[in-house]
Structure formats: structure tokens, C-alpha cells
Amino acid sequence: MADLLTVCQKFFGNDRFVAGCGIKLTECREGYAKCEVEIADQHLNGINAVQGGLLFTIADFSAAVAAFTLGRVAVSINADISFFRNCGEGRLVAEAEIISQTNSLCNADVNVFCGDKKLANVKVGLFRTKQEIPQE
């Protein structure tokens, strides 16, 4: 079987919304995922800060990948986001870690950074489907 990062990148490569945002999966291991995006003009809102929707999208995607590394596809069923500060340039990095799991549910804790500044924290609840990671 290919390494886990390659498997995840291939599986999630069809996520057109994430691709359109410019988000890249850069690291993963069991129960963990790291995604990054270079802030571009289209990511900025009216006050030249990153639109909160991009922060949520990178956090949600990171949580989905982290859950996927545990063996099954998972979809978000609940999320709670707290914004701490804004950022208008640089690179966003989201790090997701699965903090609990059962057979059908798991919970992720996701932190989003711009450089060394923590911009947001997201708690994501996910439903673990019966669809397993493709074996190649």
C-alpha cells in the first residue's frame, strides 16, 4: 500500500471546493492532518483580512482528513469555531487532531495559524461512514 499521505491526497484530490480555495494537504499520520494555503487576494474580505469561511474550510477539511487516517471516510455533523484574531497575508496552516472516537463518531480539535499567530480553534464532530480507505 502507498504511504498514508499519498493515499489521502489521492482520495481527497477530487474535492473541487478545497482545490478552488488553494488548500493543500501537506502532512498526515494516524489521527492527525496538516493543511496549508497561501493567502491570496480572493481570500480577503472587505477589511483586507482572511474571510472566516476560508478559516472554517481549511479546518473542516483538515478534520475530515485526520478522521480518514483512522480507516474510514467521515463527514462533519457539527462544528464550533472561535476566532481570535485576523490576518491579511502569509500562509494559513491548519492542524487537526482526533481527540476521541467511537465506532460511528469522532471528534477533532483543529487550530488554524498564520505564521506564529493562532487565528482560530474549531471543534468538529464527525460521523464515521462505513466507507473504508481504498486499499491499493
Side-chain angles (χ1 to χ4, degrees):
M1 184 169 150
D3 70 280
L4 187 57
L5 180 60
T6 302
V7 170
C8 290
Q9 287 172 330
K10 182 176 180 181
F11 183 85
F12 288 99
N14 194 39
D15 191 319
R16 294 167 299 283
F17 187 76
V18 166
C21 290
I23 296 169
K24 306 285 185 206
L25 171 60
T26 57
E27 185 181 336
C28 66
R29 59 183 177 272
E30 189 174 314
Y32 171 87
K34 180 178 179 180
C35 296
E36 302 181 31
V37 62
E38 194 68 37
I39 298 170
D41 190 59
Q42 76 259 19
H43 298 136
L44 303 179
N45 61 21
I47 61 168
N48 291 316
V50 173
Q51 170 54 253
L54 181 64
L55 296 175
F56 180 81
T57 298
I58 194 171
D60 183 60
F61 180 64
S62 299
V65 175
F68 183 79
T69 65
L70 299 175
R72 297 200 321 245
V73 174
V75 293
S76 298
I77 58 172
N78 184 43
D80 179 41
I81 188 166
S82 296
F83 297 103
F84 305 124
R85 56 178 53 98
N86 63 32
C87 182
E89 61 184 8
R91 177 176 290 273
L92 294 182
V93 176
E95 293 187 79
E97 184 174 359
I98 300 302
I99 56 174
S100 69
Q101 68 171 317
T102 66
N103 191 44
S104 59
L105 300 172
C106 62
N107 291 287
D109 183 55
V110 188
N111 290 303
V112 182
F113 299 89
C114 183
D116 63 352
K117 295 190 308 185
K118 187 174 182 178
L119 303 184
N121 174 263
V122 186
K123 307 293 188 206
V124 182
L126 301 108
F127 172 72
R128 299 179 74 210
T129 71
K130 294 184 188 309
Q131 183 179 349
E132 295 182 356
I133 291 179
Q135 301 295 316
E136 294 185 18

